[in-house]
Amino acid sequence: MNTKNLIPLSLLYIQYNLEMSFFFKLHEMGLLEILTVDETKYVRPESVHEIEKMIRIHEELEVNIHGIDVILNLLEKIELLQNELISVKNRLSLYES
């Protein structure tokens, strides 16, 4: 696998001043995909935004890993409901016109 487009996990835990176990716990919960190439752990660049969101929830709100999972699931459901509401409003406006 080409590691050119991957970010070493060691770079992230140093950059964010976190223990490596935090990232492994996220991986165990299914919140983070960690790739292993030649015994080096990597994450995909597109995961960085979600990782930063989880770090903010963990540090600023002092939420544990299980709480992060619950919060992310609720945020996803809210987004789906908002999209559904927009769709329903758009269909309703067709009938009102």
Side-chain angles (χ1 to χ4, degrees):
M1 175 180 271
N2 185 1
T3 61
K4 180 180 158 187
N5 296 327
L6 300 176
I7 300 172
L9 195 56
S10 58
L11 179 69
L12 289 179
Y13 81 84
I14 291 170
Q15 180 177 346
Y16 295 109
N17 195 25
L18 291 167
E19 295 192 21
M20 186 70 99
S21 62
F22 176 77
F23 295 99
F24 289 134
K25 288 177 184 175
L26 291 175
H27 177 69
E28 288 171 9
M29 291 290 298
L31 299 173
L32 176 64
E33 180 185 14
I34 296 177
L35 307 167
T36 304
V37 179
D38 297 330
E39 298 184 27
T40 304
K41 309 288 185 199
Y42 296 94
V43 295
R44 297 183 192 280
E46 53 270 14
S47 300
V48 173
H49 177 71
E50 283 296 311
I51 292 170
E52 288 176 342
K53 185 189 301 186
M54 290 183 269
I55 291 171
R56 283 193 311 274
I57 291 169
H58 177 68
E59 290 184 342
E60 294 174 13
L61 301 176
E62 298 179 9
V63 175
N64 65 18
I65 303 295
H66 293 285
I68 292 171
D69 186 31
V70 170
I71 289 170
L72 292 177
N73 284 328
L74 289 173
L75 288 172
E76 183 179 332
K77 287 181 182 181
I78 288 170
E79 185 177 344
L80 289 171
L81 288 171
Q82 286 174 332
N83 290 336
E84 185 178 341
L85 180 60
I86 289 169
S87 173
V88 169
K89 283 182 176 181
N90 289 338
R91 285 189 298 181
L92 181 61
S93 69
L94 288 174
Y95 293 111
E96 289 178 337
S97 299

